[in-house]
Amino acid sequence: MISLHPQVLSPNDDTSPSEVLRLLEKYPPRLPRYAYGTAGFRYDATVMDAVLVRVAVFCAWWYPQLQAGNGTAPETIGIMVTASHNDESYNGVKLVAPNGEILADPIVQGQLTDWVNSDSTESNQAGSKHPIRVWIEQQSTNTKSPPTCIIHIGHDTRSHSPSLTELAVKTIRALGGQVIHHGVATTPLLHHAVFHQNPQRVPSMIPIRPDAVGYYQLLSWSYLALLQTAAAQDSNSNTTKRLVVDCACGVGYPSVKLFQSTLQGVISPTCPAAPTEFYCINGPTHGPLNENCGSEHVQKSMAAPQWYRDESNSDALPWEYCAAVDGDADRIVFFHKNSHEFFLLDGDKITVLICEFLQAQVAALKQACQEQQQQGGNINNSMGQLTLGAVQTAYANGASTKYLKNILGSDNVLIAKTGVQHVHHAAKSFDIGVYFEANGHGTVVFGPQFYSYIAQAEALFMAAESPRPLSLQRLRVLPALINQAVGDAVSDLLLVDAILHIKGWDLKAWNQLYSDMPSRMSKLKVTDRNVVKTNENDTICLAPENVQEELNAAMKEWNGRCFVRASGTEDVVRVYAEAETRDAADQLSAKAEYIVHTLCGGVGDPPKFPASRM
Ligand code: 16G
Ligand code: MG
């Protein structure tokens, strides 16, 4: 169902600004105001048509401004139509910048929001036209060669995604643009395609593979290469494990299936089979998207997903080693369930696992390089050091932050604002930056010093004709296995599976690294969630007045931590609380909910306080 190669749709024979003006008129904004949320626009699908037409116009208008214009290849951008973990009734749109990352520039986001909300069919009330409308009118009607813009588009498996995507495609082609249409795609596949389509952005250690075939080959090769380092270490048994992957009834299902078939094609006598069998459940036609399944359900409800194919038999599934991805497969959590226990390994646990692994590899490589240099009588300090850091959000469980600070040092653990755009950016301040939100969004990013260090280490061992140490083999392969543009549930699945295999761990051993503090996440309806403003990393509420003072008093009373913020994907205010005991966390959460209800315009009856949830 995922297209192996995208379809290239050339511009319309004649560029047609009048067709674009007609589309703008036909699909006027259907809300008083569309807000750019945590990851783009996300609303009920019935009001998204206007957004798709306008986002497409914006991309065509923005594209020429992104080109260096000095003879370098044009840089593409992308539009992903998805509402991720939201239910089927929603849809949304995320923009991919030329570096393959999610659009993070607040100025561009502001311009886009302004345009989406402008009365773009006519002169506005003040009688002036929006500059982008003026730009459309100035476009000539001649055929454009080369295309005015090149834009990648993909969509998830929602029933309304193809028609919304089609609106954007039509608009771009009418403006003389070329569309690289990926059809059904995961969000990270689209990011990967844009990143690899702009090859000057891709470090030379990563082979360029701009389409689905190439991407899954890259994942297969690098996954097997990483697993082979475990075989070399000989720390594991040869038994095959089954990893159940709940795909949220979405695009993760064909994505993992495509990976599996690609992997089969890559395995050869010299390259042994993987020790893990991936068993996908909950595909797009099996049940309702994200309903009682997928990573959002598993993480928020702390429960195994419903198995839609054969509910009666769901106990028959071995739920020992399981993962759940979300509706567009850009996040993942792991879980284990048996007759007497359920435990979740969320983004925090993933961060800790990966950081421990990387720290050990970096230390081993440093030592191996020093020994090699000593043997050669050539101590060369020019390789420098590698900084390894972790980025979390305010939702990170306090126990994970404490653990990370212990192993990495306090300065190497940052708390950034909620949303991939913020955590990804912060992670780039390290040579190796690991970021995961508790909800499972995350990846590892490698900076220029990392690539230079690895290249120097390779040169060192090659010159000495010495075998490359395992640490070097492992670190060398990671940038190809780990999506450098955005977190990918499939890539993260493979990375975690390979690390567990190398360590010889099951989920229990991993889970025992630390114990989460009791916490609670809740959400409240308020009249206007936009009245709630927070500081640069969501830890302090700046408005309405007195909210933070009241929260401070509650935190003191229950000896815990809590914060509140407006959701960027749902019409609610979210509350997070954690404390030393379950009761204290519940009491603190109830108090914080009460504060939000009374000071932020809560709708309906105030939540009960003290809590009666025991
Ligand atoms: C979106 C964000 C995610 C964030 C979540 C918070 C991306 C790609 N996704 O899913 O990072 O954690 O929103 O949701 O940025 P909220 O604003 O509703 O709490
Ligand atoms: Mg998602």
Side-chain angles (χ1 to χ4, degrees), residues 397-410:
N397 192 282
S400 71
T401 311
K402 193 170 159 197
Y403 192 96
L404 286 168
K405 285 186 172 175
N406 259 336
I407 63 167
L408 302 177
S410 294

Side-chain angles (χ1 to χ4, degrees), residues 529-593:
R529 73 191 200 274
N530 297 313
V531 300
V532 178
K533 308 271 184 232
T534 55
N535 70 337
E536 75 289 346
N537 63 10
D538 295 328
T539 52
I540 295 175
C541 181
L542 305 173
E545 252 177 58
N546 296 332
V547 171
Q548 191 58 43
E549 285 76 4
E550 298 262 342
L551 293 176
N552 288 344
M555 286 192 269
K556 204 167 164 198
E557 183 177 353
W558 298 108
N559 191 24
R561 177 175 76 91
C562 70
F563 70 94
V564 303
R565 59 176 277 279
S567 159
T569 64
E570 287 175 57
D571 191 12
V572 295
V573 172
R574 297 203 193 279
V575 173
Y576 176 87
E578 67 178 29
E580 295 291 339
T581 64
R582 178 78 266 154
D583 182 49
D586 285 346
Q587 298 280 358
L588 178 55
S589 175
K591 183 69 200 237
E593 288 165 41

Side-chain angles (χ1 to χ4, degrees), residues 38-39 42 85 94 102 330 418-420 437 439 441 565 567-569 574:
T38 321
R42 200 176 293 183
H85 69 264
K94 304 184 196 179
I102 192 162
D330 64 350
T418 302
V420 167
E437 297 186 276
N439 62 20
H441 272 292
R565 59 176 277 279
S567 159
T569 64
R574 297 203 193 279

